[in-house]
Amino acid sequence: MKPGAGLYVHVPFCLTRCGYCDFNTYAGLDHLRSPYVEALLCESNLAARAWARTPFVSIFLGGGTPTTLPIEAMVRLLDHLRKEFTVIATAEVTSEANPDTVDETYLRGLRRAGVTRLSLGLQSFDPAVLRSLERLHSAESAVGAFRAARRAGFGDVNLDLIYGAEGETPGSWRETLERTIALEPDHVSAYALTIEPATALGRRVAAGLSPAPDGDLQADLYGVACELLDEAGYEHYEVSNWAKPGRRCVHNMGYWEGRPYLGLGAGAHSYRDGRRWWNVRPPQQYLGEVGAGRLPVGGEEILNDDEHRLERLLLGLRMAEGVPEEWVGGAARADDFVARGLAARRAGRLALTDRGMLLANELILELAG
Ligand code: SF4
């Protein structure tokens, strides 16, 4: 039996485009929604044969905003994927959702379609932060969506947060975390705002119209998240992810554990046996390729043994379990990380501390160098 794989489906539509976002997603392409769903069904037919003997342990509908699709399309898509692929009965099936795109009726429809887990983009309880992120929804509508999800029967809900945006203070971030924890979500993801040059926010920062995030402040905010979520019983199992016991995200664990995954949709990435490939990004081009009966592959790379080892190390270090210490180059280097307070030895492995996780990207560069 092959290792459990993940199935990712990219839905590149959003109500509006948030200024900080550099995902492959578009506002104003609503007329493509229906042909896009048809193309996803066709692409899954084209891809299924090569994955016939692979059990899928998770499906993740991401974007973009998958919940901009009508519920009938979601039902049809998920039914089709279950027919085309070997999706195990207990598979985790996640849909991302923007609070303004869902109500209880829609969420009940998602449950009936077999979605087991909802990931809601809450981002912040601070109205100033939501404004500077150009999020349409208010904190109240996000809370409303969370409560509707519980009423609809979602026993597994993630809340996504972003910290370090303009206008945020340690006090308002603490309040965001406290109000998030009070809702008792099963999982919390908290990401530092990063500025991507090719975004509206990136251009504003470059022009001096908006401040760049303050790295020291973001480090303090990360520390507050580690402290409050730990006190509330969440396990810090990956650099940016915390879960109640038994509620880690199976799908995202697959990426960090190096398990295979198949991505469907515009710009989606796939990985198996050391080969990584990705689909063409523009939705129109994607529709054209699939419409012509071709797999819409835009590029690929084959990892050599060294690249594969490095990638396994970098992904493994992001996880709470850490890695065997020989992966980082032996005892001397492990001693150095421990002495700097960046890592600890646990059960014969080397795992990053909260401080090490904060500096994960720098450490990864150090190890790669
Ligand atoms: S809703 Fe999410 S995916 Fe869509 S533009 Fe905003 S941040 Fe990007």
Side-chain angles (χ1 to χ4, degrees), residues 14 16-18 20-21 23 25 63-65 98 135:
C14 283
T16 59
R17 177 94 196 175
C18 307
Y20 63 94
C21 176
F23 296 145
T25 187
T65 308
N98 180 312
R135 299 291 296 195

Side-chain angles (χ1 to χ4, degrees), residues 72-137:
E72 301 74 30
M74 294 289 248
V75 171
R76 194 159 157 241
L77 180 59
L78 285 167
D79 282 353
H80 191 85
L81 295 176
R82 284 198 194 84
K83 279 196 203 96
E84 289 296 325
F85 299 98
T86 307
V87 180
I88 67 167
T90 54
E92 173 194 88
V93 182
T94 300
S95 177
E96 291 184 334
N98 180 312
D100 279 345
T101 57
V102 292
D103 59 13
E104 192 175 330
T105 306
Y106 189 96
L107 292 166
R108 284 187 188 281
L110 281 186
R111 290 287 298 140
R112 276 198 302 279
V115 176
T116 62
R117 180 173 185 273
L118 194 73
S119 179
L120 266 178
L122 190 154
Q123 316 312 355
S124 178
F125 274 97
D126 183 340
V129 171
L130 289 174
R131 263 197 310 280
S132 79
L133 292 175
E134 298 182 294
R135 299 291 296 195
L136 280 185
H137 62 84

Side-chain angles (χ1 to χ4, degrees), residues 25-351:
T25 187
Y26 307 82
L29 288 188
D30 293 357
H31 59 289
L32 292 186
R33 281 194 301 201
S34 175
Y36 188 83
V37 171
E38 297 304 320
L40 286 174
L41 303 184
C42 287
E43 189 193 357
S44 64
N45 297 346
L46 293 168
R49 197 148 162 223
W51 293 79
R53 292 156 56 80
T54 304
F56 283 89
V57 297
S58 63
I59 300 177
F60 195 102
L61 302 167
T65 308
T67 48
T68 52
L69 295 181
I71 198 66
E72 301 74 30
M74 294 289 248
V75 171
R76 194 159 157 241
L77 180 59
L78 285 167
D79 282 353
H80 191 85
L81 295 176
R82 284 198 194 84
K83 279 196 203 96
E84 289 296 325
F85 299 98
T86 307
V87 180
I88 67 167
T90 54
E92 173 194 88
V93 182
T94 300
S95 177
E96 291 184 334
N98 180 312
D100 279 345
T101 57
V102 292
D103 59 13
E104 192 175 330
T105 306
Y106 189 96
L107 292 166
R108 284 187 188 281
L110 281 186
R111 290 287 298 140
R112 276 198 302 279
V115 176
T116 62
R117 180 173 185 273
L118 194 73
S119 179
L120 266 178
L122 190 154
Q123 316 312 355
S124 178
F125 274 97
D126 183 340
V129 171
L130 289 174
R131 263 197 310 280
S132 79
L133 292 175
E134 298 182 294
R135 299 291 296 195
L136 280 185
H137 62 84
S138 63
E140 289 67 33
S141 73
V143 171
F146 178 84
R147 297 219 162 100
R150 289 296 199 216
R151 286 196 301 278
F154 278 100
D156 196 355
V157 182
N158 169 58
L159 293 177
D160 264 346
L161 302 176
I162 290 183
Y163 59 92
E166 183 180 2
E168 187 151 68
T169 63
S172 75
W173 172 237
R174 186 171 277 272
E175 190 182 333
T176 285
L177 285 164
E178 285 168 351
R179 291 178 67 184
T180 300
I181 289 166
L183 291 171
E184 300 184 5
D186 308 277
H187 189 285
V188 176
S189 301
Y191 300 100
L193 177 68
T194 52
I195 304 296
E196 303 297 338
T199 60
L201 181 57
R203 287 188 285 276
R204 280 207 305 277
V205 169
L209 301 172
S210 291
D214 175 337
D216 290 340
L217 177 63
Q218 282 192 331
D220 290 347
L221 302 181
Y222 186 74
V224 174
C226 293
E227 175 199 326
L228 294 192
L229 289 163
D230 177 62
E231 279 170 17
Y234 291 86
E235 177 202 16
H236 190 186
Y237 75 97
E238 194 272 343
V239 170
S240 307
N241 288 280
W242 288 259
K244 284 280 168 89
R247 292 300 193 188
R248 291 182 179 199
C249 176
V250 172
H251 187 81
N252 287 337
M253 292 271 294
Y255 298 136
W256 302 317
E257 289 173 354
R259 286 193 271 113
Y261 52 89
L262 169 63
L264 302 175
H269 282 59
S270 305
Y271 173 79
R272 188 167 64 182
D273 299 333
R275 172 180 176 243
R276 194 179 2 245
W277 67 101
W278 49 90
N279 285 350
V280 294
R281 270 173 77 92
Q284 292 89 340
Q285 191 184 357
Y286 168 77
L287 291 177
E289 290 294 307
V290 176
R294 290 190 290 269
L295 279 172
V297 177
E300 69 164 5
E301 63 187 0
I302 311 280
L303 301 182
N304 65 31
D305 286 350
D306 283 347
E307 288 165 341
H308 193 253
R309 262 196 299 278
L310 184 62
E311 181 157 305
R312 196 178 56 163
L313 164 64
L314 306 187
L315 292 171
L317 266 184
R318 300 184 68 88
M319 305 285 301
E321 284 70 24
V323 297
E325 73 179 43
E326 59 272 18
W327 287 16
V328 299
R333 193 153 216 182
D335 286 345
D336 174 51
F337 278 19
V338 171
R340 290 156 66 194
L342 301 172
R345 287 189 168 91
R346 277 185 221 127
R349 297 170 74 91
L350 190 72

